[in-house]
Amino acid sequence: MKSLLRTPLAALGLLAFLTNCATTVTEKEKPTVNSQPMAAPVATGATRPDSTGAAATATDARVATPATATPEPGATPTGLPLETVGAPETAAPNTPSATAASAERAKEKKMTAADYRAMLESADSRLKTSPKDPAALLQRAKAKSYLKQYKEAIPDYTAAIKYQRNNPDAYYNRGVNRLMMKQYKAAATDFSGALKYRPDDKESFFGRGVARMQMYQYKPAVTDFTRAIQLDSTYADAWEYRGISYSSFDKLSEARRDLERATKLNPEAAKSLKRYVGNDGHEPIKAAPVAKPGTGYHPRPGYKKPATPPAASTPAQ
């Protein structure tokens, strides 16, 4: 699908849910959801080396465990303790891996409106004979979401989950759909549902982080973006939005570090580096009065903290 992350969103990227998934926040704009929700949140420049020619790693992440590290006993695939992430549960049969799911999302983002309508017709046809088919229900819901019929898609996502409660893709896609509807608390719950059955899905962590940013929960958002970085140290969007989150509670050195790394991975992030850290990241921006949540637009140069959550990329369906 086409880019979500290149345009201002009140919600992810993940979905990006994205021209590949890195977007930056623009000035003087109220966060709005005005893009297609299905592009996969795969960071632009994911394989781009850093300025030294070496591949980017997660060693800069203050709380990140390198994605290649061997998990300690009792740890999940993210390298975090079970009590932190929650013990994964058995997913539905034939559930694709996180890597395969990401590739499928990337493939779907390239489809056309005609393809999505055909996808919808195919699902309708199957549901005439098998009205409780969870795969067909999910397909129809996704098609509706791609066609921006977000409200109409919700009943199909919910039915798909009712008939197959352990399908992480149903939770993930409903989470994206809810991000587009600005239902951030429900979206965060859905991404948690996806992670319950596929705990190594970086895009679900990213999507939940975005939802939390929109609810001013910047510290929990940092945790989610960190987990995404642990799983993919070249995830430019996760570095960028973790940096923005850090800046919101005065962690300017951490914000600078993350935004500089994001800029190496995706030059578009330089806009966020300048906006949230100031003077191209070499000096802190000056403090200024901060509007109460819900009373103003997202941060502009001169603010020390965001007045409202920054427009964030949305994960893809």
Side-chain angles (χ1 to χ4, degrees):
M1 219 171 175
K2 297 185 178 175
S3 171
L4 267 190
L5 283 179
R6 296 295 181 189
T7 55
L9 297 178
L12 320 160
L14 90 72
L15 269 46
F17 333 346
L18 336 174
T19 296
N20 274 352
C21 184
T23 195
T24 52
V25 183
T26 57
E27 297 180 31
K28 298 182 181 180
E29 63 192 4
K30 186 174 183 179
T32 56
V33 178
N34 57 4
S35 301
Q36 296 175 343
M38 307 309 161
V42 178
T44 298
T47 58
R48 185 181 293 116
D50 63 19
S51 59
T52 65
T57 68
T59 54
D60 289 353
R62 179 158 299 192
V63 291
T65 299
T68 57
T70 301
E72 295 294 328
T76 68
T78 65
L80 295 174
L82 287 175
E83 62 268 24
T84 301
V85 178
E89 298 191 15
T90 303
N94 302 316
T95 294
S97 66
T99 300
S102 181
E104 182 64 21
R105 294 165 195 157
K107 179 180 177 181
E108 288 180 349
K109 78 175 184 178
K110 298 178 182 178
M111 294 168 62
T112 66
D115 292 328
Y116 301 134
R117 286 191 290 270
M119 183 177 172
L120 180 61
E121 292 175 3
S122 173
D124 277 335
S125 178
R126 290 166 59 188
L127 289 167
K128 286 179 181 178
T129 56
S130 302
K132 296 182 179 181
D133 182 345
L137 286 163
L138 177 56
Q139 179 179 322
R140 187 167 70 179
K142 289 171 64 178
K144 289 177 179 178
S145 292
Y146 280 116
L147 293 170
K148 301 184 181 181
Q149 299 172 14
Y150 307 124
K151 184 177 181 179
E152 294 83 351
I154 288 292
D156 282 338
Y157 283 127
T158 301
I161 291 171
K162 176 181 178 181
Y163 297 122
Q164 191 174 48
R165 292 188 177 277
N166 56 349
N167 185 344
D169 291 305
Y171 290 100
Y172 174 85
N173 284 279
R174 189 172 69 173
V176 174
N177 194 84
R178 283 176 161 166
L179 275 182
M180 306 310 290
M181 297 174 69
K182 302 183 182 180
Q183 297 175 355
Y184 305 125
K185 184 175 181 180
T189 298
D190 278 341
F191 289 123
S192 294
L195 289 164
K196 181 177 181 180
Y197 299 105
R198 190 159 54 205
D200 60 344
D201 188 346
K202 64 179 183 180
E203 292 168 13
S204 289
F205 279 120
F206 183 73
R208 190 170 69 180
V210 168
R212 287 172 165 173
M213 285 179 76
Q214 295 301 319
M215 294 187 288
Y216 307 94
Q217 298 173 4
Y218 295 107
K219 291 183 179 180
V222 162
T223 299
D224 280 334
F225 295 135
T226 296
R227 292 173 182 173
I229 291 168
Q230 290 174 338
L231 291 162
D232 180 0
S233 63
T234 61
Y235 200 164
D237 294 311
W239 286 102
E240 181 175 0
Y241 289 105
R242 191 175 74 169
I244 294 171
S245 295
Y246 272 134
S247 75
S248 73
F249 53 95
D250 299 323
K251 295 280 189 178
L252 290 182
S253 61
E254 290 87 346
R256 181 181 298 114
R257 176 203 62 205
D258 282 2
L259 290 168
E260 286 177 346
R261 174 52 62 92
T263 299
K264 290 179 181 179
L265 293 167
N266 171 37
E268 288 285 325
K271 297 175 183 177
S272 290
L273 174 61
K274 183 175 182 179
R275 181 165 298 111
Y276 294 102
V277 182
N279 297 316
D280 295 324
H282 298 298
E283 297 177 19
I285 56 180
K286 295 180 180 180
V290 179
K292 293 181 179 180
T295 64
Y297 295 106
H298 62 80
R300 300 181 294 280
Y303 281 93
K304 193 172 184 180
K305 295 182 181 179
T308 65
S313 56
T314 309
Q317 292 277 5

